[in-house]
Amino acid sequence: MTELNDTTIDAFRAQLTRGECEDLAWWHACQARIEAFEADVQAWEYLKPLTSTAILPYPGQLLRGVPVGIKDIIDTADMPTTWGTGGYLVSPGAVVDAAVVTLLKRQGAMLLGKTVSTEFAYFTPGKTRNPQDLSRTPGGSSSGSAAAVAAGMVPLALGTQTAGSIIRPASYCGVFGFKPTVNTVSFSGIKAFAPSMDTLGWFARHIEDICTTFTALTRSDVIKVLPDLGGIRVGLRNLPGDGPLDLDVEQALSSTARRLEQAGAKVFALPLDSRYDALVMHHQVVLAYEAAQTLASEFQQHGEEMGARLVELIEQGLATSYADYRVSLLAAEQCKQALSRVFADEVDVILAASAPGVAPAGLHATGDPVYCRAWTLLGVPCLNLPLSKGQDGLPVGVQLIADRWQDEQLLSIARTLINALGMQ
Amino acid sequence: MTELNDTTIDAFRAQLTRGECEDLAWWHACQARIEAFEADVQAWEYLKPLTSTAILPYPGQLLRGVPVGIKDIIDTADMPTTWGTGGYLVSPGAVVDAAVVTLLKRQGAMLLGKTVSTEFAYFTPGKTRNPQDLSRTPGGSSSGSAAAVAAGMVPLALGTQTAGSIIRPASYCGVFGFKPTVNTVSFSGIKAFAPSMDTLGWFARHIEDICTTFTALTRSDVIKVLPDLGGIRVGLRNLPGDGPLDLDVEQALSSTARRLEQAGAKVFALPLDSRYDALVMHHQVVLAYEAAQTLASEFQQHGEEMGARLVELIEQGLATSYADYRVSLLAAEQCKQALSRVFADEVDVILAASAPGVAPAGLHATGDPVYCRAWTLLGVPCLNLPLSKGQDGLPVGVQLIADRWQDEQLLSIARTLINALGMQ
C-alpha cells in the first residue's frame, strides 16, 4: 500500500487543509489498489466512474475527499442496486439516494461504488473472497465492504447488521467494524430485513476513522482519547455463554483482556443469568417473523429464484405466530432493561467473542453469526477490535459492547486502548 | 350508500362463501361511490384500472374481494407514488410493492388506488376535503384514506402515523382509525419520516373491519367480543393534560366514559406525573432530528420546492444535537417502562382526546396533532372511536390506548363496547 492508502481520515483532511494534496488524491490511490486486487478479492458489485461533481460543496466537511464503499442493499440514484440477488431483482437507480448516502456526501465523501452483499443481507454468499486468504469467506452479509476495507481498496465502507453482518466479517477480515445503537443512523432507503434489529454501521482499518465517521454522521462531538483506562470496568461475557470456545477465540479474548488491564482497566467475568442466553433463540424468532413480513413482495415475485436458506427462513417466519413473536420481543425488552441496570451499576463495557473462530474455509457459506445475535437483538452498540491472529495467522476479532446510546463512551474506550497499544 | 357499500368484511366474505355475490361486487360498488363523490371529496391521488388478475389465489383469505385504499407514501409496483409532493418527486412504479401491499393482496384484498397524503406525511395539505363538511380539512397526513373511508368510497384504507396522522383525521372524518403498536406491520417500502415512531395503521367504518384487518395482517387470532366490560379499568388522561379542553372534546370524553361504564367498565381519572406531559416536547425533538436525517436526500434535491413547515422542521432538526436527541429518546424510554407498570397495575386502557376539537374550517392546514404526539412517541396502540358529534354536528372522536403489544386486548374492549352500544 502507498502511504495514502493507509492514512487516516483526519490526517488526509489535514493534508488537504495544508494544500499538500488534492481532493481526488485518495480516490486515485484507491482506484490503483482496486485495479491491483479486485480480480482476486471481488469486493465490488459496481464501480462508479469519476465525475467532476463528485464532492458536494459544504463548509467544514469531516469526510472531504474520503472514498467510501456502499453496501449493495443501500439505494443510490446514480448507481444500480441488486440487493445481492445476482440479478433477479435490480434497480437501475433509485428515485433518491438512501438518507445515509446524502449524509456522507454532505460531509464531502466520494462514493467509489457498491460493495457485494449476500442475498438481501442474509446468508446466500456473493462472489467476494477474504483478502487475508482467498480460499476463505470474508464473512457476511457485508462481505464486499469488509473485504474492500481489509484489502486497502477503500478506507471506509458501509455495512448493515441484523444478526452478525458487520461484526463477523470485520473479525474474519481483520478490520474494525462498528454497529452503533440501533436506529442511530437512518435506515431510510436501505432494504429492510428485520426492522426492529436492522442497523447501519461501517468498517475501517483505523479506530480514528470509525470515530470520525460517527461524529460526521451524527454531528456529535469528536470522540475523546482518555489519559488511560483507569476506572474502566470491563465485563467478560459471551452470548451465548455455554459451550467451550474455539482456542483462537479464547486466546483473542484473554490477550485483549490483558491489553485492557495494561491500559488501566479492570477486567472480570460478568455473571448474567440464563435469560440472556435465551436471546439467541429469541433473535431467530424475531428474525424469521419480521423477514417473512418484510420480504413478502420479493418472496411473492421471486421465491423460486431465492437461495434455499432464505426460503427456509421465510417459511419459518410464516409458521411463527404473532403471539410467539411478541413473547420473543418482550423477552428482549426485559433483558434490555435489565442490561441497562448492569451497565449503570457494574460495568462500562462488555468484552465478548465476535465470531466462533477465524474465517471458515470455502466460499459456499459466510460463517456463523451466533455470537452477535443476542447483542443485535438488544440494540446495543458493538465494535469489532481486530487485534489478534489465530494459530494459522488469520485474523480473529473480539467485540466491545456498551449500553444503548453509550456509543461515544464505547468508542472513546476503544480509541484509548488502541492508542495505548501504540497502533495508530 | 348501497347495502354493499356499508357491509362489513366478514359479512361480505360470508356472502362470497355462500355464492350470493361475486368477487368484484364490492369493487364495483366502491367505483360507483367514487364516481358520485370524488369530484367533491378528492380523496384519490391515483385510481387503478380493474385487471383480471386483481385477486391473488390463496386459500382462506380474510380480505377476499375487499377494496383497499393505499396512502400515497406507500410503494406500489403498478401505480405511481408521489409522496404528497404534488409532482416534484414521482416514482412511476416501485421495483416491488411495499411489504404491506403484498400482505393485503395475499389475503385477497383489491387495491383501488392511492389516497392523497400531505407532503411526505407532514403538514403541507393535499387537495382532499372533509366529506362531513367540504369546507373543512379532513385532517392529515392520511387525508385521502380517512376521507375515502368516511365517504363510503372504500371500506378500508391504509394510513401512517408519526405524530397524529391516523387518529386526528379519523376523529375529524368520523371513522375508526387504528395505529397498532409501533413496528407491528412492516414499514418496508413506505417512505420513512421519523423511523423510531413511524407506524402503519388503517381506517374503517366498522370496528369489526379494524379487527379483521389486524388479524389478517398479523395472522393472529380473531379478536374476541367479551360478554361485557365488567372488570375492565379505564383511566382518563390526556397528554398533555394541562389546559382546558374544548367543550366538544370534553363532552365526547364524558359521553364515552358513560358508555364504557354502562357496558360494565370502571372509569376513573388516571394520575400520571409531569414527565408524561413533557413527552409532547420530546416528540418534537425526535421528530425534527430524525426527519432531518431521513429526508436528507429529498431536502438536498428538492428543498426549494418543499413546503415551508417541512423546511422549518428539517432546519430545526439540523440544529438539534445528537445529545439532545438522545435525552429525548431516553426520556421516552423511561416513560415507556413506567407506563407499562401503570398498565400492569392500574388500568387496562386509557381514554384520551383524539384531537383538540372538530375539524377546523379551511383546507390550508390539517389541524393539530398535539393530543397524539406523546402516545405515538411511546409506541402504544391507539384507536379512534367515532362515537360523538360536536355542537355543530361534526364528528369528534376520542381514543382508547393500551400498552405496547396489548393491541388484541384494546381491540377486544372496543369491539365489546361498540357491540354493547348496538352499533353493529
Side-chain angles (χ1 to χ4, degrees):
Chain A
M1 282 198 241
T2 67
E3 203 179 316
L4 199 51
N5 282 120
D6 208 37
T7 192
T8 66
I9 293 172
D10 292 351
F12 181 72
R13 195 173 59 250
Q15 284 186 289
L16 281 183
T17 305
R18 292 193 302 263
E20 293 168 12
C21 66
E22 297 190 342
D23 279 347
L24 300 184
W26 210 350
W27 192 91
H28 286 297
C30 288
Q31 291 297 338
R33 192 86 190 156
I34 289 170
E35 270 162 43
F37 292 97
E38 175 60 6
D40 282 341
V41 176
Q42 307 214 29
W44 299 89
E45 193 65 44
Y46 181 86
L47 282 161
K48 192 179 174 203
L50 183 61
T51 63
S52 56
T53 58
I55 299 185
L56 281 182
Y58 269 79
Q61 294 175 319
L62 286 179
L63 306 178
R64 185 166 185 90
V66 176
V68 183
I70 306 292
K71 185 177 182 179
D72 193 33
I73 63 161
I74 299 175
D75 280 354
T76 42
D78 59 356
M79 292 188 274
T81 303
T82 73
W83 301 283
T85 62
Y88 68 73
L89 197 70
V90 177
S91 162
V95 176
V96 290
D97 284 331
V100 66
V101 170
T102 293
L103 298 180
L104 286 170
K105 285 181 179 172
R106 277 188 192 158
Q107 292 285 351
M110 302 185 63
L111 273 48
L112 264 187
K114 305 292 279 278
T115 58
V116 171
S117 170
T118 60
E119 184 188 33
F120 294 113
Y122 195 56
F123 278 114
T124 315
K127 62 186 178 180
T128 310
R129 297 169 182 166
N130 192 319
Q132 310 287 353
D133 176 345
L134 296 174
S135 71
R136 290 173 189 262
T137 178
S141 65
S142 310
S143 317
S145 286
V149 167
M153 295 172 175
V154 66
L156 177 67
L158 296 182
T160 61
Q161 177 159 319
T162 308
S165 287
I166 292 173
I167 298 300
R168 173 165 104 269
S171 175
Y172 289 171
C173 292
V175 296
F176 290 96
F178 181 53
K179 181 197 91 67
T181 299
V182 65
N183 211 14
T184 294
V185 181
S186 177
F187 220 74
S188 183
I190 306 178
K191 179 62 81 182
F193 193 89
S196 68
M197 306 187 292
D198 293 333
T199 313
L200 184 79
W202 47 93
F203 300 89
R205 286 188 306 282
H206 302 285
I207 184 67
E208 296 103 319
D209 293 352
I210 295 284
C211 295
T212 301
T213 304
F214 181 83
T215 301
L217 289 176
T218 59
R219 297 174 291 112
S220 57
D221 296 336
V222 171
I223 302 294
K224 289 191 190 82
V225 184
L226 310 169
D228 58 48
L229 295 182
I232 300 295
R233 300 158 303 170
V234 180
L236 253 165
R237 176 68 154 93
N238 299 309
L239 288 183
D242 46 358
L245 283 176
D246 181 273
L247 187 61
D248 286 341
V249 176
E250 204 164 280
Q251 289 183 344
L253 285 168
S254 58
S255 78
T256 305
R258 210 160 45 240
R259 286 161 159 167
L260 284 160
E261 285 172 334
Q262 283 164 0
K266 198 178 153 201
V267 184
F268 50 89
L270 177 68
L272 293 176
D273 63 53
S274 62
R275 282 180 309 168
Y276 290 91
D277 294 310
L279 291 173
V280 176
M281 177 273 288
H282 292 305
H283 175 274
Q284 180 67 23
V285 173
V286 173
L287 188 75
Y289 184 90
E290 294 192 0
Q293 266 209 3
T294 297
L295 295 181
S297 298
E298 291 78 3
F299 184 64
Q300 189 69 38
Q301 280 180 42
H302 300 285
E304 304 275 310
E305 297 151 283
M306 278 184 171
R309 285 193 73 176
L310 183 52
V311 170
E312 188 186 349
L313 182 78
I314 290 173
E315 286 173 350
Q316 184 196 337
L318 290 171
T320 300
S321 73
Y322 169 75
D324 285 344
Y325 168 61
R326 185 170 53 181
V327 164
S328 287
L329 277 185
L330 292 174
E333 178 147 333
Q334 284 197 338
C335 284
K336 277 182 197 181
Q337 293 177 24
L339 191 66
S340 280
R341 290 190 291 274
V342 170
F343 275 116
D345 299 341
E346 299 174 46
V347 295
D348 298 294
V349 290
I350 292 173
L351 173 64
S354 287
V358 300
L363 302 174
H364 58 287
T366 60
D368 188 346
V370 60
Y371 287 115
C372 298
R373 287 175 180 263
W375 306 114
T376 308
L377 179 58
L378 292 168
V380 292
C382 306
L383 174 73
N384 182 68
L385 298 176
L387 301 181
S388 303
K389 303 270 184 196
Q391 292 168 293
D392 50 10
L394 289 169
V396 52
V398 296
Q399 55 183 329
L400 280 184
I401 296 151
D403 198 12
R404 280 169 299 146
W405 305 106
Q406 297 301 312
D407 304 57
E408 288 164 293
Q409 189 190 19
L410 172 65
L411 293 177
S412 181
I413 290 170
R415 189 167 189 169
T416 304
L417 172 68
I418 302 299
N419 199 52
L421 295 173
M423 288 178 68
Q424 294 307 181
Chain B
M1 280 199 242
T2 66
E3 201 179 317
L4 200 50
N5 281 121
D6 207 37
T7 192
T8 65
I9 293 172
D10 292 352
F12 181 72
R13 194 173 59 249
Q15 284 186 289
L16 281 183
T17 306
R18 292 192 302 264
E20 292 167 12
C21 66
E22 295 191 342
D23 279 347
L24 300 185
W26 210 349
W27 191 91
H28 286 297
C30 288
Q31 291 297 336
R33 193 87 190 153
I34 289 170
E35 270 162 44
F37 293 95
E38 175 60 6
D40 282 342
V41 176
Q42 308 214 29
W44 299 89
E45 193 66 45
Y46 180 87
L47 282 160
K48 192 177 175 206
L50 183 63
T51 63
S52 56
T53 57
I55 300 186
L56 282 182
Y58 268 80
Q61 293 174 320
L62 287 179
L63 306 179
R64 185 164 184 94
V66 177
V68 184
I70 306 292
K71 185 178 182 179
D72 193 32
I73 63 163
I74 299 175
D75 279 355
T76 42
D78 58 358
M79 293 188 273
T81 303
T82 73
W83 301 283
T85 62
Y88 68 74
L89 197 70
V90 177
S91 163
V95 175
V96 289
D97 285 331
V100 67
V101 170
T102 293
L103 298 180
L104 287 170
K105 285 181 179 173
R106 278 187 192 158
Q107 292 285 351
M110 301 184 64
L111 273 47
L112 266 187
K114 306 290 280 276
T115 58
V116 171
S117 170
T118 60
E119 184 190 32
F120 293 114
Y122 195 54
F123 279 113
T124 314
K127 61 186 179 181
T128 309
R129 296 168 182 168
N130 192 319
Q132 310 287 351
D133 176 345
L134 297 175
S135 71
R136 291 173 188 261
T137 177
S141 65
S142 309
S143 317
S145 286
V149 168
M153 294 172 175
V154 68
L156 178 66
L158 296 183
T160 62
Q161 176 159 319
T162 309
S165 287
I166 292 173
I167 297 301
R168 172 164 104 269
S171 174
Y172 290 171
C173 293
V175 296
F176 290 96
F178 181 53
K179 181 198 91 67
T181 299
V182 67
N183 211 15
T184 294
V185 181
S186 177
F187 220 75
S188 183
I190 307 178
K191 179 62 81 179
F193 192 90
S196 68
M197 305 188 292
D198 293 333
T199 313
L200 184 78
W202 48 93
F203 300 89
R205 286 189 307 283
H206 301 285
I207 183 68
E208 297 102 319
D209 293 353
I210 295 283
C211 295
T212 302
T213 304
F214 180 83
T215 301
L217 289 176
T218 59
R219 297 174 291 111
S220 56
D221 296 336
V222 172
I223 302 293
K224 289 191 190 80
V225 184
L226 310 169
D228 58 49
L229 295 182
I232 299 295
R233 301 158 303 170
V234 180
L236 253 166
R237 177 67 154 92
N238 299 311
L239 287 182
D242 45 359
L245 283 178
D246 181 272
L247 187 62
D248 287 341
V249 176
E250 205 165 278
Q251 289 183 344
L253 285 168
S254 58
S255 78
T256 306
R258 211 159 44 240
R259 286 160 159 167
L260 284 159
E261 285 173 334
Q262 283 163 1
K266 198 177 153 204
V267 185
F268 50 89
L270 178 67
L272 293 177
D273 64 53
S274 61
R275 280 181 309 167
Y276 290 90
D277 293 310
L279 291 173
V280 176
M281 176 273 289
H282 291 305
H283 175 274
Q284 180 66 24
V285 173
V286 173
L287 188 76
Y289 183 90
E290 293 192 1
Q293 266 208 5
T294 298
L295 295 182
S297 298
E298 291 78 3
F299 184 64
Q300 188 70 38
Q301 280 180 43
H302 299 285
E304 305 274 310
E305 297 150 283
M306 278 183 172
R309 285 193 73 176
L310 182 53
V311 169
E312 189 187 347
L313 181 79
I314 290 173
E315 285 173 351
Q316 184 196 336
L318 290 171
T320 301
S321 74
Y322 169 75
D324 286 344
Y325 168 62
R326 185 170 54 181
V327 164
S328 287
L329 277 185
L330 292 174
E333 178 147 335
Q334 283 196 339
C335 285
K336 277 183 195 179
Q337 293 178 24
L339 191 66
S340 280
R341 289 190 292 273
V342 169
F343 275 116
D345 298 341
E346 298 174 45
V347 296
D348 298 295
V349 289
I350 292 173
L351 174 63
S354 287
V358 300
L363 301 174
H364 59 286
T366 60
D368 188 346
V370 61
Y371 287 115
C372 298
R373 287 174 180 265
W375 307 115
T376 309
L377 179 57
L378 291 167
V380 291
C382 306
L383 174 72
N384 181 68
L385 298 176
L387 300 182
S388 302
K389 303 270 185 196
Q391 293 168 291
D392 51 9
L394 289 169
V396 52
V398 297
Q399 54 183 330
L400 280 184
I401 297 150
D403 198 12
R404 280 169 299 146
W405 306 105
Q406 296 302 312
D407 304 56
E408 288 164 293
Q409 189 191 19
L410 172 65
L411 292 176
S412 182
I413 289 170
R415 189 166 189 169
T416 303
L417 172 68
I418 302 299
N419 200 51
L421 295 174
M423 290 178 66
Q424 293 306 182

